[in-house]
Amino acid sequence: MEINPTWQNAFRGELVQNLRRVSNDFTRQLLIIDIAKECIMYSCDMCLEYNRQGAYIGISNSVVDNITYNVCIAMNGLVHEFGESQRNEVMSRVRELMKDPRTYSVLQEEIDKYYGR
C-alpha cells in the first residue's frame, strides 16, 4: 500500500469533523468500535467517490486498499489507540463492502444515512 500524505491531510480534517458529529461535539465518549466504524464508512465513501469521479470506470482493489490504508493512518494520527489490529479489521471490512459494484448504490444509501445526508 502506498502512503499518501496529501490524502492523509485531507482525510484528517474531514475525519475530525465526522468524529465531532458522531460524538455530539465531543460530549459523548467514543469507543474504538465507533472509530473503526467511522473509518469503514469514510473509506467506503471515498472509494465510491473515486469510482464516480475517477479517470476510468471502476475501482481496483489496490486503490480501495490505498484509500482505506491512508484513512486508517490519518485516524491513527488523531486517535493513537486506533492501531494495527483495528486497521486490519477496517481494511478487511472495506474490501468486503467494495467487492461487488452491483451493491454500490445500497452502500451509498447506508453511508448517506450514517452521515445524515
Side-chain angles (χ1 to χ4, degrees), residues 2 5 7 19 22 24 42 45 58 64 66-68 81 92 94 105 112-113:
E2 296 176 27
W7 282 4
L19 292 177
V22 171
N24 196 24
Y42 186 76
D45 199 25
V64 170
N66 283 333
I67 289 171
T68 306
E81 295 81 8
S92 175
V94 172
S105 62
D112 290 346
K113 183 178 176 183

Side-chain angles (χ1 to χ4, degrees), residues 56-71:
Y56 59 93
I57 295 174
I59 185 168
S60 68
N61 292 335
S62 64
V63 172
V64 170
D65 284 350
N66 283 333
I67 289 171
T68 306
Y69 179 76
N70 282 282
V71 166

Side-chain angles (χ1 to χ4, degrees), residues 26-37:
F26 298 113
T27 59
R28 177 178 153 292
Q29 182 177 359
L30 296 176
L31 305 174
I32 288 295
I33 194 166
D34 300 318
I35 304 300
K37 182 171 184 174

Side-chain angles (χ1 to χ4, degrees), residues 26-117:
F26 298 113
T27 59
R28 177 178 153 292
Q29 182 177 359
L30 296 176
L31 305 174
I32 288 295
I33 194 166
D34 300 318
I35 304 300
K37 182 171 184 174
E38 173 58 31
C39 286
I40 291 166
M41 298 304 256
Y42 186 76
S43 294
C44 287
D45 199 25
M46 293 298 98
C47 287
L48 291 172
E49 182 67 17
Y50 183 96
N51 183 59
R52 281 190 299 275
Q53 303 295 328
Y56 59 93
I57 295 174
I59 185 168
S60 68
N61 292 335
S62 64
V63 172
V64 170
D65 284 350
N66 283 333
I67 289 171
T68 306
Y69 179 76
N70 282 282
V71 166
C72 289
I73 296 301
M75 184 61 82
N76 177 257
L78 299 170
V79 180
H80 300 297
E81 295 81 8
F82 185 82
E84 186 175 345
S85 65
Q86 290 82 23
R87 182 177 70 228
N88 291 338
E89 181 182 321
V90 168
M91 298 278 300
S92 175
R93 185 70 180 127
V94 172
R95 282 182 195 125
E96 180 70 23
L97 290 168
M98 292 297 301
K99 75 178 180 182
D100 186 355
R102 295 173 296 182
T103 64
Y104 287 0
S105 62
V106 173
L107 178 57
Q108 187 65 63
E109 287 175 14
E110 185 178 333
I111 291 165
D112 290 346
K113 183 178 176 183
Y114 174 79
Y115 286 121
R117 299 184 201 148

